[in-house]
Amino acid sequence: MGNIWTITKRELRGYFASPVAFVFIVIFLLLAGFFTFMIAQFFKVGQATLSQTSYSPMFFGWHPWLYLFLVPAVGMRMWSEERRLGTIELLLTMPITPWQAILGKFLASWAVVAIALALTFPVWITVNYLGNPDNGVIVGGYIGSLLMAGAYLSITAMTSAMTRNQVVAFIVAVVISLFLILAGFPPVTDMLVTWAQPWIVDLIAAFSVMTHFESIQKGVLDSRDILYFVSVMAFCLFTTSTIIRAHRAG
Amino acid sequence: MIQVRDLKKNFGPKAAVNGVSFTVERGEVLGFLGPNGAGKSTTMRMITGFIPPTEGSIKIGDHDMLENPLPAKRLIGYLPENAPSYTDMTVAGFLGFTAELRGMSGDAKKKAVERVIEMCFLENVRHQSVDTLSKGYRHRTCFAQSIIHDPDVLVLDEPTDGLDPNQKHEVRTLIRRMGEKKAIIFSTHILEEVEAVCSRAVIIDRGKIVANGTPRDLKMRAPTAGAVLVQFTDGNGADVAQKVGALPGIDRAEVVGERPLTVRAYPHKRSASEDTARAINELAAKERWPLQQLHVEEGRLDEVFRSITLPDTKKEATK
Ligand SMILES: Nc1ncnc2c1ncn2[C@@H]1O[C@H](COP(=O)(O)OP(=O)(O)OP(=O)(O)O)[C@@H](O)[C@H]1O
Ligand SMILES: [Mg+2]
């Protein structure tokens, strides 16, 4: 536990010593604001809820897309940088387990996203000022959004363990995440049903972050959805440890 | 403290390390020599638990590195090749981080950081970002990291690489001093370093140990070890060489330099070097050659190294 925290602290310092964290937070806030207020015409939808009303994506509705590019940008350095600098050799010859290193790094990057997400609180205040939103739904939206970011980050952890090149790690992570979005993206599933059995479409959609994020942000905190995000993280981090072990073995 | 048995490492079909065994006890400094790509770094990476061996066993103290890595790793301080460090940290920050990973906190951590900053002369860069350090300082920072917990076992991959002559000297002194109480293994391409620091040296070539002994023993293997070198201020080279070569007990003599005229005489047996030297001295007195100096050669490590690791001279050396 102590070792995980030591590594998380170091990584967080690293994020804030380089512009990565600031750039991410600023861009995230700008884009989240832009999409919410400009495109969804937040102010014109008389009733202020932070969640989706039918298919008009409001605040949280944009998050799967925002994260698609922003989260891999945060996570891409996680292991690539370690390999590029050779510090992985230092880190893994310390008296710590590889799992402590993997978790410590993962938690640090997750914390960066969490900070960005937390900084959207003015939006929350605004909607409470403008109307009478269901705050339970909003809290659910935040939890779902954080879980989704964690899932994307674990994918990025995995891709960054594969290569010393951050750009490659970024691109591969974006592609995998895009698949996870599209598998349950209504326009895509609508198209799929014209070719395939509905149960196949449902099965594919069950692997999508969209399917699970949607119900959470509607305020339904279903344990299955939470389980989905946790499983994605567990699976990807486990794969990360396998990749690192294979890389060490040569 | 370090016990390595039949260590093997294959990268694909290629054997980088092919059956290496040795032990290093407390109070020993083992020098690791070998041409580029011989497998020195790979062996060290296995000893420190970074890469798993294909075959073989590694024991650090009483702990098996493969079965029980954490206690084994606790005993080791490691300076990897090229001295990696986190470029986004300051020197003190980086050292503090490694101290924490070594289980120190609070005052103990502060003291440990201060100690290595002083030992490695990092005082004036302590708040500088590793990013902006010169290569030598970066190297010293990583070296400082390896001794922060005062480990029993030190594994140093080219610890003096990139240091200026003064720093090289300091680091050698430090290694020798620490070697009295620790088990140290370090690799280098600087052969004088081996003589200055090591109590024992191992030469490794293409994944195998090809020589193992004290620097003195190794030097004895040089082709010129035991030969007698004579210098005259003046004289006829061919004539001198011919007459010296004709002395009893001498295999052959050759001119190795003019002005001053230098002749090297190889005795039949190395143990007879002293007698040979005396005979040459007497001959010089009789012939009235202007003798300048005369000594028995110890052999040079670079000659040994070359004769052992260069493929074309290999046969000659083992003859
Ligand atoms: N991860 C790896 N994958 C494939 N081959 C490798 C790997 N690491 C090392 N090798 C190979 O193993 C051999 C031994 O390399 P090693 O780095 O141990 O040499 P070295 O003795 O340290 O050389 P140098 O003096 O140049 O540092 C080399 O031929 C190298 O190419
Ligand atoms: Mg090497």
Side-chain angles (χ1 to χ4, degrees), chain A residues 247-250, chain B residues 9-12 14-17 32-45 51 81-82 157-158 187-189 204 207:
Chain A
H247 166 65
R248 284 162 77 183
Chain B
K9 182 71 201 177
N10 298 336
F11 290 113
K14 192 172 143 214
V17 175
F32 228 48
L33 304 175
N36 292 134
K40 301 181 295 295
S41 300
T42 306
T43 306
M44 291 183 156
R45 287 186 182 127
I51 60 179
E81 195 169 31
N82 301 326
D157 204 345
E158 303 192 22
S187 72
T188 180
H189 289 298
I204 172 167

Side-chain angles (χ1 to χ4, degrees), chain B residues 2 24 28-33 40 44 79 143 154-160 171-172 175-176 183-202:
Chain B
I2 309 175
V24 188
E28 265 192 307
V29 180
L30 179 75
F32 228 48
L33 304 175
K40 301 181 295 295
M44 291 183 156
L79 169 67
F143 180 70
L154 259 181
V155 180
L156 309 168
D157 204 345
E158 303 192 22
T160 55
V171 168
R172 282 175 204 160
I175 293 177
R176 198 168 38 213
I184 301 184
I185 159 170
F186 84 96
S187 72
T188 180
H189 289 298
I190 306 168
L191 296 168
E192 306 94 75
E193 205 151 78
V194 177
E195 292 181 60
V197 179
C198 299
S199 56
R200 202 150 52 86
V202 157

Side-chain angles (χ1 to χ4, degrees), chain A residues 9 82 89 92 248-249, chain B residues 9 49-51 73 78 86:
Chain A
K9 259 192 317 191
E82 204 82 34
E89 197 168 339
L92 297 181
R248 284 162 77 183
Chain B
K9 182 71 201 177
F50 179 60
I51 60 179
K73 284 177 180 175
Y78 179 35
Y86 292 99

Side-chain angles (χ1 to χ4, degrees), chain A residues 30-41:
Chain A
L30 284 178
L31 289 182
F34 176 76
F35 284 126
T36 310
F37 291 104
M38 300 301 167
I39 296 188
Q41 294 183 309

